[in-house]
Amino acid sequence: MKNGMKNYTQVYVENSLEAVALYCEAFGAEVTFAMKNAAGDAYEHCELSVNGEPFLAAAEARNPCDISVVHHNRWQTMTFNVFEMGSEENVAHALQVLSAGGVVLEPLHALPWSKCCATVIDRYGVCWWLSL
């Protein structure tokens, strides 16, 4: 095994430029590497970091699904867990940003392992569990 191995998630979404802007706003992330397609209207590959740490990669989906079906059926095929967000305000802000055009599965609430968390499927069909 190679020392220093890292792992972070990648999402494939329709309207990747908009999605990346949304994720930057929700999590205070910044684009640290980006390659757009020849037309400049989509990411072939984009990397986001928070406080200098890799957070998420994104790219344009080649075969996007119908997000309205995902929202209607409240599908959770995979959930990205974002935790240790620093404050309840940060959790609430991310939920507010991600829920615009999306579906809140669980509003802000407490669990035995988290005093402030929520679950949302965003407008791109990506499911997020947000936690303090």
Side-chain angles (χ1 to χ4, degrees), residues 18-98:
E18 291 176 11
V20 164
L22 181 83
Y23 302 148
C24 284
E25 181 183 348
F27 300 113
E30 64 179 334
V31 174
T32 51
F33 180 80
M35 295 175 56
K36 293 182 180 175
N37 64 7
D41 61 0
Y43 286 116
E44 289 187 10
H45 182 75
C46 182
E47 296 175 6
L48 305 178
S49 294
V50 174
N51 298 324
E53 293 294 321
F55 176 70
L56 179 73
E60 191 72 20
R62 290 197 172 110
N63 297 304
C65 64
D66 184 344
I67 302 306
S68 66
V69 174
V70 173
H71 288 166
H72 176 76
N73 291 309
R74 303 171 66 93
W75 284 341
Q76 278 180 274
T77 59
M78 181 187 321
T79 299
F80 294 100
N81 297 327
V82 182
F83 52 95
E84 296 181 10
M85 294 184 68
S87 70
E88 291 182 21
E89 291 78 21
N90 290 345
V91 176
H93 174 75
L95 178 62
Q96 176 189 357
V97 171
L98 296 171

